[in-house]
Amino acid sequence: MPRLLLHIGHPKTGTTALQSVLSANTKNLLNEASVLYPTQTEPNEYKHSFAIPWLFEVDNAAIRRRSRLSGAPLNEMSKQYWRSLSTEIQQTEHDVSVISGEGFWSAARQASKEQQAFARNSLYEIADDITVIAYLKSPASYFLSKINQKLRNFKSVTLPRGDYLSAAIKSWESMGFNHYSWRIFDRKLLTNQDIVEDFCAHYLPNSLNTASLTRDGIEQTNSSISNEALAILEEVTVAHPVLQEDVYDKRRHKIIEILKQSDKAIGGKNRPSLKESAVIAILNRSSDLNWLKKRDLYFPDIEQELINKEPDELPSSFTCVSDFCNVDTNRLADLRAETSKSIASLFRPAPQFFFWSFQRRN
């Protein structure tokens, strides 16, 4: 049987970009390097997280949103998806297969021991040598990305677990696969500062020419918006609670696009950032840093002096952007003026037209 590379994320480490490139180059991968990235699934979905509900009996908001299913229908779809994915692997001649889904990251931690065993056995039915791979992002950097992503998806933000990294890693290592590879996700450390180049260089055969991989038309991860745009997004969400309801609403995407375009038009410092006090507090609540240090895993974006500083009191839960992020009040005012009319127009009642029929007099 072929070897299996199981890429489990974690979130906000370029997973979508990697999956998009691999799925867009299935023929090149197979012909040049005998690498199979399964795409002939039912339903058709190249992010392999759809297999998680069947393998681990857990799911998450991203899986439910992407599949538009929940409960028993989601589990039945996941079962069918896994069967089609595993069939493609078993019926295609190749040396290395790649399964990738960032939802796998927390699945092992959330699953029961019995379900972990089921997932392990299912994976060994399609491979006799399995390597579990994850890229790790530093706690403060991950939290900043999480704030941006959650608010752009009109979801609530929670503070990160102190053992977010170690708990997941321990759960996966307890499952007893052949190999584990934990790499730091930092542009300075990635091959050519690129997640695709790095993954190919470290895990795929040397026969693969990465320059031949197309990146045209691939799905891009949603780009971040500024702290000021996030503050406006909070205001809009409070004014229009319907945006948080678990139903499709095309206005969400339009609001984000208005904010993105206005962010560019306003200019200035539009990269999201955390307050130093928030960075210090997040680092101090993380028990993972010393645990990872014992494994010679370090995050280059973390300054030692910040770890040693006494943290200010952090709210016990996420309150609002301005409590955690640097918000420029002048830029916020300019952005609000730039976006208010366009956003408000999305919530005006649709105009009603009335037609009268007139009878012609003889």
Side-chain angles (χ1 to χ4, degrees), residues 21-191:
V21 173
L22 293 179
S23 64
N25 291 274
T26 52
K27 291 183 179 179
N28 278 0
L29 291 169
L30 197 58
N31 295 336
E32 290 187 21
S34 193
V35 172
L36 173 67
Y37 187 82
T39 57
Q40 305 305 306
T41 56
E42 181 59 40
N44 186 258
E45 171 58 58
Y46 69 92
K47 296 183 176 184
H48 300 138
S49 292
F50 272 10
I52 292 172
W54 171 247
L55 293 177
F56 289 92
E57 275 195 350
V58 299
D59 59 52
N60 57 40
I63 294 173
R64 294 191 295 272
R65 182 176 65 252
R66 203 164 176 93
S67 67
R68 298 184 181 182
L69 295 171
S70 61
L74 175 60
N75 291 335
E76 184 59 33
M77 179 278 291
S78 180
K79 178 180 180 181
Q80 179 178 336
Y81 181 86
W82 171 251
R83 285 181 174 174
S84 64
L85 185 149
S86 58
T87 297
E88 182 180 355
I89 291 176
Q90 290 169 327
Q91 293 183 353
T92 304
E93 186 176 343
H94 63 288
D95 296 329
V96 180
S97 52
V98 179
I99 292 178
S100 176
E102 65 182 24
F104 282 103
W105 170 260
S106 58
R109 177 177 58 81
Q110 296 172 343
S112 66
K113 291 295 182 183
E114 293 75 17
Q115 200 62 35
Q116 284 183 358
F118 174 80
R120 184 182 186 279
N121 293 338
S122 298
L123 288 165
Y124 272 113
E125 288 177 0
I126 60 173
D128 54 12
D129 188 275
I130 299 176
T131 299
V132 177
I133 301 165
Y135 285 82
L136 314 177
K137 194 168 188 173
S138 66
S141 179
Y142 170 66
F143 181 52
L144 177 61
S145 298
K146 182 180 180 181
I147 292 174
N148 215 287
Q149 182 186 44
K150 288 291 186 180
L151 292 182
R152 282 187 288 110
N153 287 326
F154 298 88
K155 301 295 183 183
S156 59
V157 180
T158 56
L159 297 183
R161 294 167 52 105
D163 63 345
Y164 176 74
L165 297 173
S166 59
I169 290 173
K170 289 176 182 177
S171 295
W172 276 100
E173 290 182 344
S174 71
M175 292 178 67
F177 291 104
N178 301 93
H179 316 283
Y180 295 90
S181 179
W182 315 115
R183 288 184 56 73
I184 298 297
F185 181 81
D186 188 286
R187 299 295 177 188
K188 302 172 186 175
L189 302 180
L190 298 178
T191 303

Side-chain angles (χ1 to χ4, degrees), residues 307-328:
I307 298 176
N308 297 333
K309 279 189 177 182
E310 190 68 26
D312 294 334
E313 185 175 350
L314 193 72
S316 58
S317 60
F318 185 82
T319 47
C320 62
V321 169
S322 59
D323 283 346
F324 290 82
C325 303
N326 301 296
V327 175
D328 183 325

